[in-house]
Amino acid sequence: MDSFATRVLNSPIGKTQIFYLGQAGFLVKTKNGTLIGVDLYLSNCCERIYGFKRLMPYLLEPTELIFDVLLATHAHEDHFDVDSLPAMMHNDKTTLLAAKDAYEQGCKMGFEKQMACLTEGCSKKIKDILVHAVFCDHGPDTPDAIGVVLEVGPLRIYVAGDTALHLERVPEFLKYGPIDVMICPINGRFGNMNELEAVQLCGEIKPKIVIPCHYWNFAEHGGDPSLFMTYLKANIPDQNYKIMAIGEMLEFP
């Protein structure tokens, strides 16, 4: 059976593809073959540091793919994987775009020549990807956390990051245009939206498709995709959604 990395590399170019890697981690492959890793967690460092045991398998070793862009929305280790990043950055191709706290941590790890700092309101373009850093509220202990809107060709992907619900900030997320794909947490702990709040945000943003994340990887984090579906069907029955399995891919024109 082909490895996950082989499937990514062999997937046909010409369309944008989004792969789910568990927790809050996603891989985006553009129609030109550019690889973007968003908040990838590929190790067991959270168990080593905090005692949070990993419950979902990781499909990718940090040396199996060379990414064009890695994104870290904040410095928590399930988004900024301190055990995997040294191997992932050990090349002259990968650029790490990181929120301020993750950027500072990356500089301490020796990645400064391959990094750029993302703060709310700034934008960075690399190859065929335009990244906009947007508002995020992950609590007072993580003031530098951001969400991102990715423009990949005509596709706009809003990654909420780890955030509480702030419906008053929705116009900021939409100022780059209608959202095609919204990716948001549903675990309702550690300053994040719960299942119902994620549905409420979906009702305001009105994405073409919503993908919940941040559940099932750690027992301590919570999150129930079945409950999310129940709330979604009760409140926004016409909303398109996808509960993605680990390694699953969605393809867009």
Side-chain angles (χ1 to χ4, degrees):
M1 181 182 294
D2 288 341
S3 69
F4 174 75
T6 300
R7 288 199 286 119
V8 171
L9 292 173
N10 290 344
S11 64
I13 61 173
K15 295 184 178 181
T16 298
Q17 298 155 351
I18 299 177
F19 299 82
Y20 183 44
L21 281 82
Q23 187 64 349
F26 290 83
L27 186 158
V28 180
K29 182 176 179 179
T30 75
K31 63 175 62 179
N32 298 319
T34 303
L35 293 183
I36 313 158
V38 181
D39 285 343
L40 300 183
Y41 180 56
L42 305 180
S43 75
N44 293 308
C45 67
C46 286
E47 182 174 11
R48 175 175 61 80
I49 298 169
Y50 304 110
F52 288 178
K53 180 180 178 180
R54 184 184 193 113
L55 302 179
M56 301 175 75
Y58 50 87
L59 301 182
L60 184 68
E61 295 291 339
T63 55
E64 287 187 284
L65 291 174
I66 296 178
F67 288 87
D68 296 282
V69 178
L70 291 173
L71 274 169
T73 59
H74 61 287
H76 287 162
E77 286 81 0
D78 57 327
H79 298 253
F80 184 82
D81 185 343
V82 294
D83 284 1
S84 295
L85 277 166
M88 299 176 77
M89 297 297 293
H90 190 64
N91 63 78
D92 58 3
K93 180 181 179 182
T94 302
T95 298
L96 175 57
L97 302 180
K100 183 174 180 289
D101 56 353
Y103 177 82
E104 292 172 351
Q105 178 72 6
C107 287
K108 294 176 183 177
M109 297 172 71
F111 307 147
E112 63 271 16
K113 293 182 180 179
Q114 293 173 260
M115 294 179 66
C117 185
L118 290 180
T119 56
E120 183 183 335
C122 77
S123 299
K124 301 287 184 183
K125 183 173 176 59
I126 299 178
K127 292 192 171 184
D128 53 345
I129 311 149
L130 184 57
V131 182
H132 306 288
V134 297
F135 171 83
C136 176
D137 174 15
H138 195 26
D141 294 333
T142 318
D144 299 320
I146 57 169
V148 292
V149 175
L150 307 178
E151 292 193 52
V152 185
L155 194 71
R156 293 185 189 87
I157 306 168
Y158 168 50
V159 181
D162 279 9
T163 187
L165 179 66
H166 284 272
L167 295 180
E168 76 280 4
R169 307 304 288 261
V170 166
E172 299 172 34
F173 311 146
L174 296 175
K175 73 178 183 178
Y176 305 105
I179 299 299
D180 298 291
V181 183
M182 183 175 95
I183 296 171
C184 61
I186 62 168
N187 62 302
R189 298 181 189 175
F190 302 97
N192 286 356
M193 292 182 287
N194 61 27
E195 298 87 351
L196 179 57
E197 290 168 331
V199 169
Q200 292 171 333
L201 180 61
C202 190
E204 294 296 319
I205 290 182
K206 299 179 174 61
K208 291 183 180 177
I209 187 169
V210 57
I211 303 169
C213 68
H214 220 293
Y215 57 86
W216 287 1
N217 200 61
F218 305 117
E220 296 84 353
H221 274 199
D224 184 345
S226 176
L227 187 58
F228 172 79
M229 288 190 296
T230 298
Y231 285 140
L232 195 65
K233 292 173 182 177
N235 291 276
I236 321 173
D238 295 331
Q239 174 64 56
N240 193 18
Y241 70 94
K242 184 69 173 181
I243 309 297
M244 295 187 72
I246 299 296
E248 188 173 0
M249 183 261 282
L250 288 179
E251 193 169 65
F252 302 86

